[in-house]
Amino acid sequence: MQILIGWRKDCKILLYKNLNIKARIIDDTRRFYSPISDNFIQELMSGKIPIEKPYLPQLGENIYYGKIEPINKENYELASLCTGRTKCKGCNSKIKMYQDNLEDIFGFVNIKDNEVVGGAEFFPSIKVPYNIPKAKDIAFITCVYSSDEYFDYKTKPLEELEKYLSKKYTKVIVISDEKGVFPNGDLDFFKRNGYIDEKVIFEDAYCKLHLLWKKLVK
């Protein structure tokens, strides 16, 4: 099977056999987590399998107390800034996804000098496609971001999110990497914030994912 990945100005070159773009699985055996780049494709086309190293940044534990604001349809593009993008092409689809589930607030962001430096977002567990515990009173944290080697920008928006969720949910769950920050993490961050480590749900050379939970108190 061949899949057209993209185009270049000089030629139509980005074709590769057995490459699943959505899951980034090569030859039905190797899963890749990083975004696909030109160098990635060039290595594949030369017959090499790219080496992917886990992203393990230094994470500061000093909590940054910035301005905490809710994420909603009016300001959702602010949250996309933490992905390094100035415009979020998929924002409208995500906004519709939340509104279809009668959610007006998607999460909270931490703002420093008029810039988003951290945030936390959620989705109702019963609407999540993953094999996780699901119930009407359980919320699933989709992502927390970001931190650097000096400050923890995630704790305050997470605390505000938990406070908001406690009005409707009794429990919150999250999937976290043990050492890295994909898809969330690290594990110690959630433990410091009162989360219980339930079990390991997935492990490979790139990440070791844990399912954690926390009871919400009104």
Side-chain angles (χ1 to χ4, degrees):
M1 182 178 72
Q2 289 187 325
I3 301 174
L4 177 62
I5 300 170
W7 296 77
R8 286 186 179 178
K9 293 181 180 180
D10 52 347
C11 59
K12 187 173 71 174
I13 190 173
L14 302 185
L15 286 168
Y16 199 78
K17 187 177 182 180
N18 291 337
L19 178 61
N20 184 311
I21 303 302
K22 187 174 182 181
R24 292 192 285 274
I25 296 176
I26 299 172
D27 293 333
D28 297 322
T29 58
R30 295 287 299 275
R31 181 188 300 273
F32 283 78
Y33 299 93
S34 303
I36 293 176
S37 64
D38 277 354
N39 288 337
F40 182 94
I41 299 303
Q42 288 171 5
E43 286 194 51
L44 286 180
M45 296 187 70
S46 67
K48 299 178 181 178
I49 299 296
I51 297 175
E52 185 177 41
K53 296 181 179 179
Y55 179 52
L56 302 173
Q58 291 292 113
L59 300 175
E61 296 183 15
N62 296 315
I63 297 174
Y64 181 80
Y65 293 80
K67 183 181 180 183
I68 306 299
E69 290 190 357
I71 307 170
N72 52 45
K73 65 178 181 180
E74 280 77 28
N75 68 358
Y76 190 78
E77 283 196 4
L78 282 176
S80 71
L81 296 178
C82 277
T83 66
R85 301 173 180 174
T86 55
K87 292 185 178 180
C88 178
K89 295 181 179 179
C91 279
N92 290 333
S93 296
K94 194 165 185 179
I95 290 170
K96 185 178 185 303
M97 178 180 73
Y98 276 98
Q99 290 181 321
D100 286 346
N101 287 282
L102 305 178
E103 299 288 352
D104 297 321
I105 292 178
F106 317 153
F108 291 82
V109 287
N110 199 347
I111 297 177
K112 176 184 180 183
D113 299 328
N114 295 320
E115 292 187 4
V116 173
V117 292
E121 302 180 28
F122 85 101
F123 205 63
S125 66
I126 58 175
K127 300 292 184 178
V128 175
Y130 308 147
N131 183 20
I132 58 171
K134 299 179 183 182
K136 290 183 178 180
D137 64 339
I138 298 178
F140 177 71
I141 294 178
T142 54
C143 55
V144 293
Y145 50 88
S146 302
S147 290
D148 56 27
E149 65 268 35
Y150 305 108
F151 292 102
D152 165 10
Y153 299 107
K154 303 182 288 189
T155 288
K156 295 313 293 183
L158 177 60
E159 288 177 348
E160 199 64 31
L161 176 60
E162 291 170 355
K163 188 187 304 182
Y164 169 77
L165 293 176
S166 68
K167 301 174 184 177
K168 183 177 179 181
Y169 301 91
T170 63
K171 183 179 181 181
V172 62
I173 59 176
V174 65
I175 295 174
S176 172
D177 188 18
E178 190 168 288
K179 299 293 185 182
V181 293
F182 173 86
N184 293 300
D186 60 6
L187 185 65
D188 287 342
F189 165 78
F190 286 103
K191 287 184 174 181
R192 289 197 303 272
N193 281 280
Y195 283 74
I196 305 299
D197 186 3
E198 179 77 16
K199 60 182 177 179
V200 174
I201 59 173
F202 177 80
E203 182 176 5
D204 66 5
Y206 187 87
C207 60
K208 186 174 184 178
L209 304 184
H210 293 245
L211 176 68
L212 300 97
W213 63 273
K214 183 178 183 179
K215 185 178 180 179
L216 297 176
V217 180
K218 292 184 179 181

